[in-house]
Amino acid sequence: MNFIGQARGATGRFPWLLSFVAVVVTWIAIVLVSGRGLGGTLFSAVEFAPFLVLVGLGQMLVISMGYGNIDLSIPYVMTLASFVSVSVMDGGHGSLVLGLAAALGCGLAVGAVNAVCILALSVPPIVATLATGLIASAAAAVRAGDFGSAVDPRMHDFVTSAVGRVSVLAILCAAGAGIVAFVLHRTGYGRSLLAYGQSPRAADLAGVRITRTRAITYIISALLAALSGTLLAAYVSPSLGIGDPYMLNSVAVVVLGGTLIAGGRSNAPGVWGGTLFLTLLVTLLNVLHISAAVQDIVKGLLIIAVLSVVGGASRRET
């Protein structure tokens, strides 16, 4: 009990700490079990992490608003954007710029509809984002019906490129996390977002433009999901289930990274810690030859255990 108390105190002072401790422990466990892959395992995790980091950053902004704010349309936007981008780029015969623009246009449309449903129609975020996500999913299914385009080799080369052994995409996403952190703590939008998450009423009385701030946040989340789906499609090819793992994982990495689920406190760099932990956890379970069904149970139990420590520290703060 004393150890748990000390862990909760540490995570309260350093909300990103627990996720990176979990990364190190899981990484060591993989090496001990497999007997090899000390560097390769970590570099592989870093290579695949950016796709979840991108959607995690968007989800983090939404969750930072607290009071039930969540974006469940993320996996569906990823799926739709993956098919649209690959179709427009058409195996290298089309335009990269237009393909990316079309995918981001899908994200913009879904984000705007989310904002209208939540802010103008007063639909609860969990319902609004799930409903718009299902519409996006239906659009993706229609597009997949006669899909025959190949992945653009230019996009594939970009997504798989590296500086030494470090993925270029990972470097860019690390810089992106830094930019998001700067925006949150050094700009009017970021301060408005966190103020609303801490106390909507106080933020309203202070003159914060709540409606605009919330609308921008849902649009940013959808745009990042569309970008992630576009990049992921270039990495593994589009499929109707390409975004499925990212719904719950996008929430898990946000909370594991130190963002307060009740809103008002964000930790952009911590999203990287949560992402690497989940990625390495899957690797460890595969090394142990554990079935997919048991993997889900183990992942769920471990995530709940970690979240209980973070949640305890958060409750002590509030």
Side-chain angles (χ1 to χ4, degrees):
M1 293 297 293
N2 184 47
F3 172 77
I4 295 176
Q6 291 177 352
R8 286 177 171 172
T11 54
R13 293 189 299 272
F14 308 102
W16 47 266
L17 179 62
L18 188 61
S19 61
F20 284 100
V21 170
V23 168
V24 174
V25 171
T26 309
W27 182 30
I28 293 174
I30 292 172
V31 175
L32 291 177
V33 171
S34 65
R36 56 186 175 80
L38 181 64
T41 299
L42 184 60
F43 285 121
S44 295
V46 170
E47 180 182 1
F48 197 69
F51 312 110
L52 182 52
V53 169
L54 283 173
V55 296
L57 291 173
Q59 191 74 272
M60 180 197 70
L61 295 175
V62 173
I63 289 177
S64 296
M65 294 187 291
Y67 293 92
N69 284 284
I70 192 170
D71 188 354
L72 298 185
S73 66
I74 282 175
Y76 309 112
V77 175
M78 291 179 67
T79 302
L80 178 59
S82 69
F83 279 103
V84 170
S85 62
V86 173
S87 296
V88 175
M89 295 179 193
D90 194 21
H93 300 293
S95 169
L96 280 173
V97 175
L98 289 179
L100 180 59
L104 293 178
C106 294
L108 178 62
V110 173
V113 173
N114 282 338
V116 170
C117 291
I118 295 168
L119 302 174
L121 304 180
S122 299
V123 180
I126 191 171
V127 176
T129 57
L130 182 58
T132 56
L134 291 176
I135 295 173
S137 177
V142 171
R143 185 66 194 89
D146 58 349
F147 186 76
S149 301
V151 172
D152 190 326
R154 297 168 296 180
M155 278 293 293
H156 180 75
D157 290 343
F158 167 72
V159 172
T160 57
S161 62
V163 177
R165 298 184 66 184
V166 181
S167 165
V168 169
L169 190 57
I171 296 173
L172 294 175
C173 285
I179 292 172
V180 171
F182 175 84
V183 169
L184 276 170
H185 301 289
R186 293 291 186 271
T187 68
Y189 162 75
R191 288 190 288 267
S192 296
L193 178 70
L194 296 178
Y196 176 78
Q198 292 166 7
S199 174
R201 179 172 176 78
D204 186 34
L205 293 174
V208 173
R209 297 181 178 179
I210 294 175
T211 300
R212 185 180 71 174
T213 299
R214 294 183 71 191
I216 291 173
T217 302
Y218 277 100
I219 289 174
I220 291 175
S221 177
L223 287 173
L224 288 175
L227 177 59
S228 179
T230 300
L231 296 171
L232 184 58
Y235 189 80
V236 297
S237 296
S239 67
L240 287 177
I242 195 171
D244 290 352
Y246 292 84
M247 179 181 286
L248 294 180
N249 285 352
S250 67
V251 177
V253 298
V254 169
V255 182
L256 290 171
T259 294
L260 192 61
I261 195 68
R265 187 188 74 189
S266 298
N267 196 298
V271 172
W272 261 101
T275 298
L276 289 175
F277 167 60
L278 286 185
T279 304
L280 288 172
L281 177 60
V282 171
T283 302
L284 175 60
L285 296 176
N286 286 331
V287 168
L288 293 173
H289 303 292
I290 295 177
S291 67
V294 178
Q295 282 190 29
D296 289 338
I297 297 174
V298 174
K299 286 167 61 179
L301 291 175
L302 287 177
I303 290 171
I304 290 172
V306 175
L307 290 179
S308 68
V309 177
V310 176
S314 299
R315 288 191 295 271
R316 289 166 65 92
E317 290 182 3
T318 56

